[in-house]
PDB file of all heavy atoms in Angstrom:
ATOM      1  N   LEU A 193      -9.937   8.207  -0.779  1.00  0.00           N
ATOM      2  CA  LEU A 193      -9.575   7.994   0.636  1.00  0.00           C
ATOM      3  C   LEU A 193      -9.537   6.498   0.972  1.00  0.00           C
ATOM      4  O   LEU A 193      -8.718   6.085   1.763  1.00  0.00           O
ATOM      5  CB  LEU A 193     -10.589   8.781   1.554  1.00  0.00           C
ATOM      6  CG  LEU A 193     -10.517  10.256   1.440  1.00  0.00           C
ATOM      7  CD1 LEU A 193     -11.654  10.893   2.256  1.00  0.00           C
ATOM      8  CD2 LEU A 193      -9.195  10.850   1.937  1.00  0.00           C
ATOM      9  N   PHE A 194     -10.440   5.783   0.430  1.00  0.00           N
ATOM     10  CA  PHE A 194     -10.460   4.323   0.612  1.00  0.00           C
ATOM     11  C   PHE A 194      -9.192   3.663   0.077  1.00  0.00           C
ATOM     12  O   PHE A 194      -8.545   2.877   0.814  1.00  0.00           O
ATOM     13  CB  PHE A 194     -11.680   3.711  -0.061  1.00  0.00           C
ATOM     14  CG  PHE A 194     -11.743   2.158   0.002  1.00  0.00           C
ATOM     15  CD1 PHE A 194     -12.072   1.572   1.202  1.00  0.00           C
ATOM     16  CD2 PHE A 194     -11.377   1.415  -1.091  1.00  0.00           C
ATOM     17  CE1 PHE A 194     -12.056   0.116   1.291  1.00  0.00           C
ATOM     18  CE2 PHE A 194     -11.363   0.027  -0.990  1.00  0.00           C
ATOM     19  CZ  PHE A 194     -11.727  -0.582   0.217  1.00  0.00           C
ATOM     20  N   LEU A 195      -8.730   4.067  -1.083  1.00  0.00           N
ATOM     21  CA  LEU A 195      -7.511   3.518  -1.645  1.00  0.00           C
ATOM     22  C   LEU A 195      -6.273   3.948  -0.781  1.00  0.00           C
ATOM     23  O   LEU A 195      -5.408   3.135  -0.520  1.00  0.00           O
ATOM     24  CB  LEU A 195      -7.324   3.988  -3.094  1.00  0.00           C
ATOM     25  CG  LEU A 195      -8.291   3.435  -4.103  1.00  0.00           C
ATOM     26  CD1 LEU A 195      -7.994   4.132  -5.462  1.00  0.00           C
ATOM     27  CD2 LEU A 195      -8.097   1.932  -4.238  1.00  0.00           C
ATOM     28  N   CYS A 196      -6.296   5.186  -0.309  1.00  0.00           N
ATOM     29  CA  CYS A 196      -5.244   5.637   0.547  1.00  0.00           C
ATOM     30  C   CYS A 196      -5.180   4.831   1.902  1.00  0.00           C
ATOM     31  O   CYS A 196      -4.149   4.450   2.346  1.00  0.00           O
ATOM     32  CB  CYS A 196      -5.450   7.106   0.966  1.00  0.00           C
ATOM     33  SG  CYS A 196      -5.205   8.270  -0.370  1.00  0.00           S
ATOM     34  N   LEU A 197      -6.374   4.483   2.373  1.00  0.00           N
ATOM     35  CA  LEU A 197      -6.442   3.706   3.618  1.00  0.00           C
ATOM     36  C   LEU A 197      -5.890   2.297   3.343  1.00  0.00           C
ATOM     37  O   LEU A 197      -5.137   1.745   4.169  1.00  0.00           O
ATOM     38  CB  LEU A 197      -7.900   3.651   4.135  1.00  0.00           C
ATOM     39  CG  LEU A 197      -8.078   2.767   5.419  1.00  0.00           C
ATOM     40  CD1 LEU A 197      -7.481   3.523   6.579  1.00  0.00           C
ATOM     41  CD2 LEU A 197      -9.584   2.556   5.650  1.00  0.00           C
ATOM     42  N   MET A 198      -6.197   1.707   2.233  1.00  0.00           N
ATOM     43  CA  MET A 198      -5.682   0.399   1.917  1.00  0.00           C
ATOM     44  C   MET A 198      -4.166   0.376   1.773  1.00  0.00           C
ATOM     45  O   MET A 198      -3.478  -0.537   2.189  1.00  0.00           O
ATOM     46  CB  MET A 198      -6.333  -0.161   0.570  1.00  0.00           C
ATOM     47  CG  MET A 198      -7.837  -0.398   0.686  1.00  0.00           C
ATOM     48  SD  MET A 198      -8.250  -1.653   1.889  1.00  0.00           S
ATOM     49  CE  MET A 198      -8.733  -0.645   3.309  1.00  0.00           C
ATOM     50  N   VAL A 199      -3.602   1.450   1.160  1.00  0.00           N
ATOM     51  CA  VAL A 199      -2.157   1.520   1.038  1.00  0.00           C
ATOM     52  C   VAL A 199      -1.540   1.702   2.473  1.00  0.00           C
ATOM     53  O   VAL A 199      -0.473   1.090   2.718  1.00  0.00           O
ATOM     54  CB  VAL A 199      -1.756   2.743   0.137  1.00  0.00           C
ATOM     55  CG1 VAL A 199      -0.258   2.945   0.151  1.00  0.00           C
ATOM     56  CG2 VAL A 199      -2.214   2.464  -1.301  1.00  0.00           C
ATOM     57  N   LEU A 200      -2.121   2.540   3.272  1.00  0.00           N
ATOM     58  CA  LEU A 200      -1.619   2.694   4.660  1.00  0.00           C
ATOM     59  C   LEU A 200      -1.598   1.339   5.373  1.00  0.00           C
ATOM     60  O   LEU A 200      -0.666   0.973   6.070  1.00  0.00           O
ATOM     61  CB  LEU A 200      -2.500   3.695   5.395  1.00  0.00           C
ATOM     62  CG  LEU A 200      -2.190   5.159   5.136  1.00  0.00           C
ATOM     63  CD1 LEU A 200      -3.275   6.025   5.818  1.00  0.00           C
ATOM     64  CD2 LEU A 200      -0.853   5.542   5.635  1.00  0.00           C
ATOM     65  N   PHE A 201      -2.717   0.616   5.214  1.00  0.00           N
ATOM     66  CA  PHE A 201      -2.860  -0.707   5.847  1.00  0.00           C
ATOM     67  C   PHE A 201      -1.761  -1.636   5.414  1.00  0.00           C
ATOM     68  O   PHE A 201      -1.106  -2.367   6.217  1.00  0.00           O
ATOM     69  CB  PHE A 201      -4.233  -1.276   5.623  1.00  0.00           C
ATOM     70  CG  PHE A 201      -4.435  -2.679   6.272  1.00  0.00           C
ATOM     71  CD1 PHE A 201      -4.642  -2.785   7.621  1.00  0.00           C
ATOM     72  CD2 PHE A 201      -4.483  -3.770   5.485  1.00  0.00           C
ATOM     73  CE1 PHE A 201      -4.801  -4.003   8.226  1.00  0.00           C
ATOM     74  CE2 PHE A 201      -4.615  -5.020   6.053  1.00  0.00           C
ATOM     75  CZ  PHE A 201      -4.842  -5.144   7.446  1.00  0.00           C
ATOM     76  N   ALA A 202      -1.585  -1.733   4.088  1.00  0.00           N
ATOM     77  CA  ALA A 202      -0.519  -2.519   3.555  1.00  0.00           C
ATOM     78  C   ALA A 202       0.857  -2.092   3.983  1.00  0.00           C
ATOM     79  O   ALA A 202       1.743  -2.940   4.313  1.00  0.00           O
ATOM     80  CB  ALA A 202      -0.615  -2.632   2.053  1.00  0.00           C
ATOM     81  N   TYR A 203       1.112  -0.855   3.985  1.00  0.00           N
ATOM     82  CA  TYR A 203       2.437  -0.243   4.342  1.00  0.00           C
ATOM     83  C   TYR A 203       2.716  -0.604   5.792  1.00  0.00           C
ATOM     84  O   TYR A 203       3.849  -0.943   6.146  1.00  0.00           O
ATOM     85  CB  TYR A 203       2.381   1.267   4.176  1.00  0.00           C
ATOM     86  CG  TYR A 203       3.754   1.893   3.975  1.00  0.00           C
ATOM     87  CD1 TYR A 203       4.368   1.878   2.711  1.00  0.00           C
ATOM     88  CD2 TYR A 203       4.449   2.433   5.045  1.00  0.00           C
ATOM     89  CE1 TYR A 203       5.575   2.489   2.548  1.00  0.00           C
ATOM     90  CE2 TYR A 203       5.742   2.952   4.873  1.00  0.00           C
ATOM     91  CZ  TYR A 203       6.292   2.996   3.604  1.00  0.00           C
ATOM     92  OH  TYR A 203       7.499   3.515   3.474  1.00  0.00           O
ATOM     93  N   GLU A 204       1.728  -0.548   6.708  1.00  0.00           N
ATOM     94  CA  GLU A 204       1.965  -0.866   8.101  1.00  0.00           C
ATOM     95  C   GLU A 204       2.091  -2.393   8.300  1.00  0.00           C
ATOM     96  O   GLU A 204       2.885  -2.864   9.115  1.00  0.00           O
ATOM     97  CB  GLU A 204       0.771  -0.351   8.967  1.00  0.00           C
ATOM     98  CG  GLU A 204       0.937  -0.523  10.448  1.00  0.00           C
ATOM     99  CD  GLU A 204       2.045   0.375  11.000  1.00  0.00           C
ATOM    100  OE1 GLU A 204       2.506   1.295  10.299  1.00  0.00           O
ATOM    101  OE2 GLU A 204       2.401   0.148  12.176  1.00  0.00           O
ATOM    102  N   THR A 205       1.356  -3.164   7.485  1.00  0.00           N
ATOM    103  CA  THR A 205       1.456  -4.602   7.632  1.00  0.00           C
ATOM    104  C   THR A 205       2.775  -5.143   7.253  1.00  0.00           C
ATOM    105  O   THR A 205       3.327  -6.005   7.917  1.00  0.00           O
ATOM    106  CB  THR A 205       0.347  -5.296   6.787  1.00  0.00           C
ATOM    107  OG1 THR A 205      -0.975  -4.801   7.190  1.00  0.00           O
ATOM    108  CG2 THR A 205       0.362  -6.843   6.834  1.00  0.00           C
ATOM    109  N   TYR A 206       3.365  -4.516   6.205  1.00  0.00           N
ATOM    110  CA  TYR A 206       4.673  -4.940   5.676  1.00  0.00           C
ATOM    111  C   TYR A 206       5.743  -3.979   6.079  1.00  0.00           C
ATOM    112  O   TYR A 206       6.543  -3.490   5.298  1.00  0.00           O
ATOM    113  CB  TYR A 206       4.612  -5.139   4.153  1.00  0.00           C
ATOM    114  CG  TYR A 206       3.557  -6.116   3.685  1.00  0.00           C
ATOM    115  CD1 TYR A 206       2.468  -5.727   2.985  1.00  0.00           C
ATOM    116  CD2 TYR A 206       3.690  -7.490   4.018  1.00  0.00           C
ATOM    117  CE1 TYR A 206       1.532  -6.622   2.539  1.00  0.00           C
ATOM    118  CE2 TYR A 206       2.695  -8.361   3.614  1.00  0.00           C
ATOM    119  CZ  TYR A 206       1.653  -7.945   2.819  1.00  0.00           C
ATOM    120  OH  TYR A 206       0.704  -8.846   2.425  1.00  0.00           O
ATOM    121  N   ARG A 207       5.743  -3.606   7.389  1.00  0.00           N
ATOM    122  CA  ARG A 207       6.631  -2.527   7.859  1.00  0.00           C
ATOM    123  C   ARG A 207       8.065  -2.781   7.565  1.00  0.00           C
ATOM    124  O   ARG A 207       8.781  -1.831   7.179  1.00  0.00           O
ATOM    125  CB  ARG A 207       6.425  -2.444   9.390  1.00  0.00           C
ATOM    126  CG  ARG A 207       7.411  -1.535  10.050  1.00  0.00           C
ATOM    127  CD  ARG A 207       7.081  -1.300  11.489  1.00  0.00           C
ATOM    128  NE  ARG A 207       5.885  -0.506  11.616  1.00  0.00           N
ATOM    129  CZ  ARG A 207       5.919   0.839  11.579  1.00  0.00           C
ATOM    130  NH1 ARG A 207       6.988   1.463  11.426  1.00  0.00           N
ATOM    131  NH2 ARG A 207       4.763   1.514  11.664  1.00  0.00           N
ATOM    132  N   TYR A 208       8.583  -3.968   7.697  1.00  0.00           N
ATOM    133  CA  TYR A 208       9.977  -4.227   7.472  1.00  0.00           C
ATOM    134  C   TYR A 208      10.197  -4.936   6.127  1.00  0.00           C
ATOM    135  O   TYR A 208      11.238  -5.633   6.034  1.00  0.00           O
ATOM    136  CB  TYR A 208      10.532  -5.073   8.634  1.00  0.00           C
ATOM    137  CG  TYR A 208      10.363  -4.306   9.961  1.00  0.00           C
ATOM    138  CD1 TYR A 208       9.423  -4.760  10.868  1.00  0.00           C
ATOM    139  CD2 TYR A 208      11.079  -3.194  10.231  1.00  0.00           C
ATOM    140  CE1 TYR A 208       9.223  -4.080  12.074  1.00  0.00           C
ATOM    141  CE2 TYR A 208      10.967  -2.529  11.447  1.00  0.00           C
ATOM    142  CZ  TYR A 208      10.000  -2.982  12.337  1.00  0.00           C
ATOM    143  OH  TYR A 208       9.786  -2.322  13.536  1.00  0.00           O
ATOM    144  N   GLN A 209       9.309  -4.786   5.177  1.00  0.00           N
ATOM    145  CA  GLN A 209       9.475  -5.366   3.843  1.00  0.00           C
ATOM    146  C   GLN A 209       9.271  -4.269   2.792  1.00  0.00           C
ATOM    147  O   GLN A 209       8.198  -4.125   2.240  1.00  0.00           O
ATOM    148  CB  GLN A 209       8.451  -6.462   3.695  1.00  0.00           C
ATOM    149  CG  GLN A 209       8.549  -7.606   4.727  1.00  0.00           C
ATOM    150  CD  GLN A 209       7.450  -8.665   4.572  1.00  0.00           C
ATOM    151  OE1 GLN A 209       7.399  -9.292   3.507  1.00  0.00           O
ATOM    152  NE2 GLN A 209       6.715  -8.828   5.608  1.00  0.00           N
ATOM    153  N   PRO A 210      10.332  -3.510   2.513  1.00  0.00           N
ATOM    154  CA  PRO A 210      10.242  -2.324   1.686  1.00  0.00           C
ATOM    155  C   PRO A 210       9.767  -2.649   0.233  1.00  0.00           C
ATOM    156  O   PRO A 210       9.113  -1.807  -0.319  1.00  0.00           O
ATOM    157  CB  PRO A 210      11.669  -1.797   1.611  1.00  0.00           C
ATOM    158  CG  PRO A 210      12.553  -2.921   2.083  1.00  0.00           C
ATOM    159  CD  PRO A 210      11.696  -3.742   2.994  1.00  0.00           C
ATOM    160  N   PHE A 211      10.084  -3.818  -0.285  1.00  0.00           N
ATOM    161  CA  PHE A 211       9.588  -4.143  -1.669  1.00  0.00           C
ATOM    162  C   PHE A 211       8.059  -4.273  -1.713  1.00  0.00           C
ATOM    163  O   PHE A 211       7.447  -3.773  -2.618  1.00  0.00           O
ATOM    164  CB  PHE A 211      10.235  -5.358  -2.204  1.00  0.00           C
ATOM    165  CG  PHE A 211      11.730  -5.180  -2.477  1.00  0.00           C
ATOM    166  CD1 PHE A 211      12.701  -5.692  -1.637  1.00  0.00           C
ATOM    167  CD2 PHE A 211      12.131  -4.487  -3.575  1.00  0.00           C
ATOM    168  CE1 PHE A 211      14.023  -5.513  -1.876  1.00  0.00           C
ATOM    169  CE2 PHE A 211      13.487  -4.266  -3.821  1.00  0.00           C
ATOM    170  CZ  PHE A 211      14.484  -4.813  -2.997  1.00  0.00           C
ATOM    171  N   LYS A 212       7.522  -4.883  -0.691  1.00  0.00           N
ATOM    172  CA  LYS A 212       6.063  -5.078  -0.645  1.00  0.00           C
ATOM    173  C   LYS A 212       5.370  -3.713  -0.332  1.00  0.00           C
ATOM    174  O   LYS A 212       4.303  -3.423  -0.815  1.00  0.00           O
ATOM    175  CB  LYS A 212       5.685  -6.054   0.441  1.00  0.00           C
ATOM    176  CG  LYS A 212       6.041  -7.518   0.124  1.00  0.00           C
ATOM    177  CD  LYS A 212       5.513  -8.425   1.192  1.00  0.00           C
ATOM    178  CE  LYS A 212       5.800  -9.904   0.784  1.00  0.00           C
ATOM    179  NZ  LYS A 212       5.298 -10.871   1.765  1.00  0.00           N
ATOM    180  N   GLN A 213       6.073  -2.839   0.474  1.00  0.00           N
ATOM    181  CA  GLN A 213       5.530  -1.491   0.728  1.00  0.00           C
ATOM    182  C   GLN A 213       5.523  -0.682  -0.611  1.00  0.00           C
ATOM    183  O   GLN A 213       4.529  -0.024  -0.908  1.00  0.00           O
ATOM    184  CB  GLN A 213       6.423  -0.791   1.763  1.00  0.00           C
ATOM    185  CG  GLN A 213       6.267  -1.266   3.138  1.00  0.00           C
ATOM    186  CD  GLN A 213       7.163  -0.567   4.140  1.00  0.00           C
ATOM    187  OE1 GLN A 213       8.257  -0.195   3.791  1.00  0.00           O
ATOM    188  NE2 GLN A 213       6.682  -0.426   5.358  1.00  0.00           N
ATOM    189  N   ALA A 214       6.582  -0.762  -1.361  1.00  0.00           N
ATOM    190  CA  ALA A 214       6.681  -0.058  -2.617  1.00  0.00           C
ATOM    191  C   ALA A 214       5.570  -0.607  -3.646  1.00  0.00           C
ATOM    192  O   ALA A 214       4.906   0.123  -4.273  1.00  0.00           O
ATOM    193  CB  ALA A 214       8.053  -0.239  -3.318  1.00  0.00           C
ATOM    194  N   ALA A 215       5.366  -1.954  -3.596  1.00  0.00           N
ATOM    195  CA  ALA A 215       4.367  -2.566  -4.492  1.00  0.00           C
ATOM    196  C   ALA A 215       3.006  -2.040  -4.068  1.00  0.00           C
ATOM    197  O   ALA A 215       2.115  -1.793  -4.889  1.00  0.00           O
ATOM    198  CB  ALA A 215       4.407  -4.073  -4.383  1.00  0.00           C
ATOM    199  N   ALA A 216       2.678  -1.891  -2.744  1.00  0.00           N
ATOM    200  CA  ALA A 216       1.428  -1.392  -2.309  1.00  0.00           C
ATOM    201  C   ALA A 216       1.192   0.049  -2.764  1.00  0.00           C
ATOM    202  O   ALA A 216       0.148   0.449  -3.185  1.00  0.00           O
ATOM    203  CB  ALA A 216       1.340  -1.497  -0.756  1.00  0.00           C
ATOM    204  N   ALA A 217       2.248   0.884  -2.645  1.00  0.00           N
ATOM    205  CA  ALA A 217       2.119   2.323  -3.094  1.00  0.00           C
ATOM    206  C   ALA A 217       1.883   2.382  -4.587  1.00  0.00           C
ATOM    207  O   ALA A 217       1.064   3.148  -5.041  1.00  0.00           O
ATOM    208  CB  ALA A 217       3.375   3.040  -2.690  1.00  0.00           C
ATOM    209  N   ILE A 218       2.610   1.590  -5.328  1.00  0.00           N
ATOM    210  CA  ILE A 218       2.438   1.578  -6.809  1.00  0.00           C
ATOM    211  C   ILE A 218       1.047   1.083  -7.213  1.00  0.00           C
ATOM    212  O   ILE A 218       0.380   1.617  -8.096  1.00  0.00           O
ATOM    213  CB  ILE A 218       3.589   0.795  -7.497  1.00  0.00           C
ATOM    214  CG1 ILE A 218       4.940   1.429  -7.257  1.00  0.00           C
ATOM    215  CG2 ILE A 218       3.300   0.627  -8.973  1.00  0.00           C
ATOM    216  CD1 ILE A 218       6.108   0.652  -7.734  1.00  0.00           C
ATOM    217  N   GLY A 219       0.645  -0.007  -6.514  1.00  0.00           N
ATOM    218  CA  GLY A 219      -0.634  -0.540  -6.777  1.00  0.00           C
ATOM    219  C   GLY A 219      -1.819   0.409  -6.445  1.00  0.00           C
ATOM    220  O   GLY A 219      -2.797   0.518  -7.205  1.00  0.00           O
ATOM    221  N   GLY A 220      -1.641   1.164  -5.350  1.00  0.00           N
ATOM    222  CA  GLY A 220      -2.663   2.177  -4.972  1.00  0.00           C
ATOM    223  C   GLY A 220      -2.721   3.273  -5.985  1.00  0.00           C
ATOM    224  O   GLY A 220      -3.774   3.744  -6.422  1.00  0.00           O
ATOM    225  N   ALA A 221      -1.555   3.743  -6.454  1.00  0.00           N
ATOM    226  CA  ALA A 221      -1.503   4.797  -7.528  1.00  0.00           C
ATOM    227  C   ALA A 221      -2.140   4.329  -8.880  1.00  0.00           C
ATOM    228  O   ALA A 221      -2.901   5.055  -9.458  1.00  0.00           O
ATOM    229  CB  ALA A 221      -0.077   5.290  -7.751  1.00  0.00           C
ATOM    230  N   ALA A 222      -1.822   3.034  -9.202  1.00  0.00           N
ATOM    231  CA  ALA A 222      -2.380   2.502 -10.413  1.00  0.00           C
ATOM    232  C   ALA A 222      -3.867   2.333 -10.375  1.00  0.00           C
ATOM    233  O   ALA A 222      -4.607   2.650 -11.297  1.00  0.00           O
ATOM    234  CB  ALA A 222      -1.703   1.153 -10.719  1.00  0.00           C
ATOM    235  N   ALA A 223      -4.405   1.900  -9.211  1.00  0.00           N
ATOM    236  CA  ALA A 223      -5.783   1.801  -9.024  1.00  0.00           C
ATOM    237  C   ALA A 223      -6.495   3.107  -9.052  1.00  0.00           C
ATOM    238  O   ALA A 223      -7.621   3.272  -9.603  1.00  0.00           O
ATOM    239  CB  ALA A 223      -6.116   1.130  -7.647  1.00  0.00           C
ATOM    240  N   ALA A 224      -5.884   4.180  -8.488  1.00  0.00           N
ATOM    241  CA  ALA A 224      -6.455   5.500  -8.564  1.00  0.00           C
ATOM    242  C   ALA A 224      -6.540   5.942 -10.011  1.00  0.00           C
ATOM    243  O   ALA A 224      -7.592   6.601 -10.337  1.00  0.00           O
ATOM    244  CB  ALA A 224      -5.573   6.453  -7.786  1.00  0.00           C
ATOM    245  N   VAL A 225      -5.571   5.717 -10.816  1.00  0.00           N
ATOM    246  CA  VAL A 225      -5.633   6.120 -12.269  1.00  0.00           C
ATOM    247  C   VAL A 225      -6.710   5.289 -12.995  1.00  0.00           C
ATOM    248  O   VAL A 225      -7.482   5.854 -13.736  1.00  0.00           O
ATOM    249  CB  VAL A 225      -4.270   5.939 -12.932  1.00  0.00           C
ATOM    250  CG1 VAL A 225      -4.382   6.215 -14.407  1.00  0.00           C
ATOM    251  CG2 VAL A 225      -3.208   6.970 -12.237  1.00  0.00           C
ATOM    252  N   PHE A 226      -6.709   4.001 -12.744  1.00  0.00           N
ATOM    253  CA  PHE A 226      -7.597   3.111 -13.447  1.00  0.00           C
ATOM    254  C   PHE A 226      -9.033   3.444 -13.168  1.00  0.00           C
ATOM    255  O   PHE A 226      -9.929   3.410 -14.030  1.00  0.00           O
ATOM    256  CB  PHE A 226      -7.302   1.633 -13.080  1.00  0.00           C
ATOM    257  CG  PHE A 226      -8.228   0.670 -13.739  1.00  0.00           C
ATOM    258  CD1 PHE A 226      -8.109   0.317 -15.064  1.00  0.00           C
ATOM    259  CD2 PHE A 226      -9.273   0.072 -13.002  1.00  0.00           C
ATOM    260  CE1 PHE A 226      -9.049  -0.604 -15.643  1.00  0.00           C
ATOM    261  CE2 PHE A 226     -10.168  -0.830 -13.542  1.00  0.00           C
ATOM    262  CZ  PHE A 226     -10.059  -1.179 -14.889  1.00  0.00           C
ATOM    263  N   LEU A 227      -9.306   3.701 -11.839  1.00  0.00           N
ATOM    264  CA  LEU A 227     -10.691   4.025 -11.469  1.00  0.00           C
ATOM    265  C   LEU A 227     -11.086   5.490 -11.685  1.00  0.00           C
ATOM    266  O   LEU A 227     -12.236   5.871 -11.489  1.00  0.00           O
ATOM    267  CB  LEU A 227     -10.908   3.728  -9.998  1.00  0.00           C
ATOM    268  CG  LEU A 227     -10.798   2.246  -9.627  1.00  0.00           C
ATOM    269  CD1 LEU A 227     -10.829   2.031  -8.068  1.00  0.00           C
ATOM    270  CD2 LEU A 227     -11.893   1.383 -10.279  1.00  0.00           C
TER     271      LEU A 227
END
């Protein structure tokens, strides 16, 4: 849930920057697998 919150925060922060939003989603998924 903490990782999900961080992805939501990044997604909202970079609302009009789709590449950064995609990077946040991929980073969150990678962190979930790594941890």
Side-chain angles (χ1 to χ4, degrees):
L193 295 174
F194 174 76
L195 291 176
C196 291
L197 182 68
M198 294 300 97
V199 172
L200 281 172
F201 179 72
Y203 203 85
E204 185 69 11
T205 301
Y206 303 113
R207 170 172 290 277
Y208 301 108
Q209 302 178 58
F211 290 106
K212 290 185 177 181
Q213 289 179 326
I218 293 171
V225 174
F226 177 77
L227 296 173

